[in-house]
Amino acid sequence: AQTVTQSQPEMSVQEAETVTLSCTYDTSESDYYLFWYKQPPSRQMILVIRQEAYKQQNATENRFSVNFQKAAKSFSLKISDSQLGDAAMYFCAWGTSGSRLTFGEGTQLTVNP
Amino acid sequence: DVKVTQSSRYLVKRTGEKVFLECVQDMDHENMFWYRQDPGLGLRLIYFSYDVKMKEKGDIPEGYSVSREKKERFSLILESASTNQTSMYLCASSLTRGLNYGYTFGSGTRLTVV
């Protein structure tokens, strides 16, 4: 079975600083997708960023970027210039075309003013 | 914008009751999913559906069933609610069988079984 592991249950960062959230996954597939979702206190899950495994270039969305290491099966999320609104639960997810998403345990991010 | 609506934000039910959690999406998505979210366990898939009247078991289907009579509606049913089913339930939908754009989620139903 495919698994996704987020080894950091909680992280904290000072406002305007940079933080990196870790995610590893286990699969024998070669073509798949990876996602980071954000869940603020409102509970609405928001897609932050996605990466297609066949693309070597790391995805970037404004202050959010990923470090995708396919051989190491690692997919970390870097948040630059952290803002108070970034405080949320972050979930890493994996899936292949035609299948469902498998999620990690989540990392609770606190942003300190 | 695609919208996924879950009928209740909070729900309190008694042990043994039959509970219906409703989810409706408004953008003609083929795929719909029910996840359960618990602290430290992330999101776990209960059931999913790729088409009307079609359903497949996820990782933790025991104690649950689903119904999809119309494309836009996917219902999760707890036949006889138990306290260990107290949790946050998230519904999601996606446009195609591919995962190019991930899922769109509802805002969740926090169910308490007493």
Side-chain angles (χ1 to χ4, degrees):
Chain A
Q2 324 299 343
T3 58
V4 177
T5 302
Q6 295 178 246
S7 58
Q8 306 153 316
E10 298 176 347
M11 292 283 284
S12 63
V13 63
Q14 291 296 127
E15 199 173 0
E17 298 294 307
T18 295
V19 64
T20 298
L21 308 184
S22 301
C23 173
T24 58
Y25 56 95
D26 186 23
T27 182
S28 57
E29 302 280 349
S30 59
D31 191 18
Y32 49 86
Y33 299 89
L34 292 160
F35 302 85
W36 278 99
Y37 280 89
K38 168 186 177 181
Q39 186 184 44
S42 68
R43 304 188 331 213
Q44 184 64 56
M45 294 277 275
I46 301 164
L47 178 61
V48 174
I49 199 164
R50 70 183 184 99
Q51 175 80 41
E52 295 161 2
Y54 70 88
K55 291 186 177 178
Q56 293 187 344
Q57 186 174 5
N58 289 324
T60 299
E61 289 287 342
N62 301 314
R63 298 182 295 107
F64 298 87
S65 62
V66 298
N67 183 6
F68 173 47
Q69 302 287 330
K70 192 172 184 179
K73 296 179 184 175
S74 171
F75 183 61
S76 60
L77 175 70
K78 185 171 83 170
I79 305 174
S80 304
D81 185 26
S82 296
Q83 300 175 0
L84 294 177
D86 295 333
M89 180 73 83
Y90 286 81
F91 290 99
C92 177
W94 174 98
T96 60
S97 183
S99 77
R100 25 65 67 94
L101 287 180
T102 298
F103 288 82
E105 303 91 337
T107 297
Q108 182 68 51
L109 178 67
T110 301
V111 181
N112 300 309
Chain B
D1 279 351
V2 176
K3 194 168 183 181
V4 178
T5 302
Q6 294 184 230
S7 55
S8 303
R9 190 161 174 82
Y10 297 95
L11 212 51
V12 180
K13 295 293 182 180
R14 295 194 179 277
T15 300
E17 275 193 79
K18 190 169 186 176
V19 181
F20 293 85
L21 303 184
E22 305 287 348
C23 176
V24 177
Q25 50 94 2
D26 66 0
M27 282 296 288
D28 205 33
H29 281 186
E30 293 89 355
N31 312 321
M32 298 188 76
F33 308 85
W34 275 106
Y35 283 85
R36 171 175 170 160
Q37 181 180 352
D38 298 289
L41 297 177
L43 277 69
R44 293 179 292 165
L45 184 64
I46 304 171
Y47 267 97
F48 60 104
S49 169
Y50 286 141
D51 204 348
V52 176
K53 297 192 185 295
M54 176 268 177
K55 60 185 178 183
E56 291 193 33
K57 293 180 180 179
D59 300 320
I60 52 165
E62 295 78 18
Y64 303 94
S65 62
V66 291
S67 172
R68 194 166 181 200
E69 295 296 318
K70 294 184 177 181
K71 190 174 186 178
E72 67 270 18
R73 185 180 297 270
F74 192 37
S75 303
L76 180 68
I77 304 158
L78 287 65
E79 295 290 342
S80 177
S82 64
T83 54
N84 62 14
Q85 292 178 310
T86 291
S87 187
M88 169 79 79
Y89 291 88
L90 290 170
C91 176
S93 70
S94 66
L95 185 58
T96 66
R97 275 207 168 211
L99 282 178
N100 303 48
Y101 301 102
Y103 293 173
T104 300
F105 283 88
S107 54
T109 296
R110 189 173 295 282
L111 172 67
T112 302
V113 182
V114 298

